[in-house]
Amino acid sequence: GAVVSQHPSRVICKSGTSVKIECRSLDFQATTMFWYRQFPKQSLMLMATSNEGSKATYEQGVEKDKFLINHASLTLSTLTVTSAHPEDSSFYICSASRQGTNYGYTFGSGTRLTVV
Amino acid sequence: EDKVVQSPLSLVVHEGDTVTLNCSYEVTNFRSLLWYKQEKKAPTFLFMLTSSGIEKKSGRLSSILDKKELFSILNITATQTGDSAIYLCADTLQGSQGNLIFGKGTKLSVKP
């Protein structure tokens, strides 16, 4: 149980275009999902907390107009990287928590974004 | 500032060795500590620790939390090459909606 599906797993896009990443909880409802970013050889850094039906909460230094987060349902959150630039190339991972279990926080499989 | 510190940052051992990975933390309103294994993609969950002194085990892996000294260890016995990965430690905080504060990770390499 507690499966989180993230799509796409890998995307290459041109500079200036936008990319949408989806994160779905497959067998549970997630009122809250988290988006992380990981640079090479570094740990996961929380970007924002996505709340179903309300605005996301962004961490300091994360541009909310650049990284658009939508949590339209209890099983789906999306992260859109707008007007992507090469420095946005990174590994993006979502996670969700299934309340009342010992699963901890289940991660999606991640998305490797390369902006050329 | 809340922080999680892992040591060592990297470790190279041979198959069959036993390793101990360390995680210390300084956080306000601690709720739980989690260990993850990260290979090429997203982290996979290993353990969640909330109480001091209670060892959790899964096969050759075990972990324990000391809330007085603010640290946790992850032990791996009889290491195998498949244990090679980055091991991440993270804290969750009371009232934080559950977001994780990660350490930088320990990169473990197990050589045949």
Side-chain angles (χ1 to χ4, degrees):
Chain A
V3 176
V4 174
S5 173
Q6 187 171 343
H7 178 81
S9 58
R10 180 180 290 271
V11 58
I12 301 173
C13 70
K14 288 187 176 181
S15 188
T17 61
S18 295
V19 174
K20 180 185 283 188
I21 303 170
E22 292 188 349
C23 182
R24 294 180 184 272
S25 55
L26 297 185
D27 53 355
F28 67 101
Q29 293 182 333
T31 54
T32 303
M33 291 188 179
F34 305 94
W35 288 96
Y36 293 85
R37 181 174 180 176
Q38 186 176 37
F39 290 103
K41 299 183 180 180
Q42 294 189 31
S43 191
L44 296 166
M45 297 297 295
L46 180 67
M47 297 175 65
T49 302
S50 168
N51 300 295
E52 186 268 335
S54 64
K55 290 183 179 180
T57 303
Y58 290 82
E59 295 300 299
Q60 191 172 8
V62 178
E63 299 175 60
K64 60 181 181 181
D65 294 330
K66 181 168 185 62
F67 298 100
L68 300 179
I69 291 173
N70 184 278
H71 196 150
S73 76
L74 287 171
T75 59
L76 174 64
S77 176
T78 61
L79 168 67
T80 301
V81 183
T82 62
S83 187
H85 290 283
E87 57 265 31
D88 298 325
S89 299
S90 189
F91 191 53
Y92 294 87
I93 310 177
C94 67
S95 78
S97 171
R98 186 174 191 176
Q99 298 298 323
T101 73
N102 289 321
Y103 297 123
Y105 299 83
T106 305
F107 286 84
S109 55
T111 298
R112 172 72 61 191
L113 171 63
T114 303
V115 184
V116 297
Chain B
E1 181 184 348
D2 297 325
K3 62 180 180 180
V4 175
V5 179
Q6 290 185 246
S7 64
L9 292 180
S10 66
L11 187 59
V12 180
V13 299
H14 290 282
E15 273 192 316
D17 289 348
T18 294
V19 298
T20 299
L21 309 182
N22 303 293
C23 176
S24 63
Y25 60 92
E26 293 178 24
V27 300
T28 54
N29 300 317
F30 172 86
R31 182 166 73 181
S32 63
L33 185 144
L34 299 98
W35 284 97
Y36 287 88
K37 177 181 181 182
Q38 184 176 25
E39 296 172 270
K40 296 195 174 178
K41 288 194 171 180
T44 53
F45 173 74
L46 295 176
F47 299 110
M48 174 187 273
L49 305 163
T50 55
S51 301
S52 266
I54 299 175
E55 185 182 50
K56 291 206 172 182
K57 295 196 71 170
S58 177
R60 296 176 293 102
L61 276 65
S62 64
S63 184
I64 196 163
L65 174 68
D66 186 328
K67 291 169 75 172
K68 182 179 178 183
E69 299 298 329
L70 307 182
F71 79 92
S72 173
I73 59 172
L74 175 69
N75 276 325
I76 308 175
T77 59
T79 52
Q80 302 171 358
T81 55
D83 296 326
S84 297
I86 295 174
Y87 290 84
L88 294 167
C89 168
D91 277 2
T92 66
L93 309 179
Q94 301 281 358
S96 69
Q97 294 195 74
N99 57 289
L100 301 173
I101 302 171
F102 280 92
K104 291 184 186 290
T106 294
K107 183 177 180 180
L108 174 65
S109 298
V110 181
K111 297 196 176 299

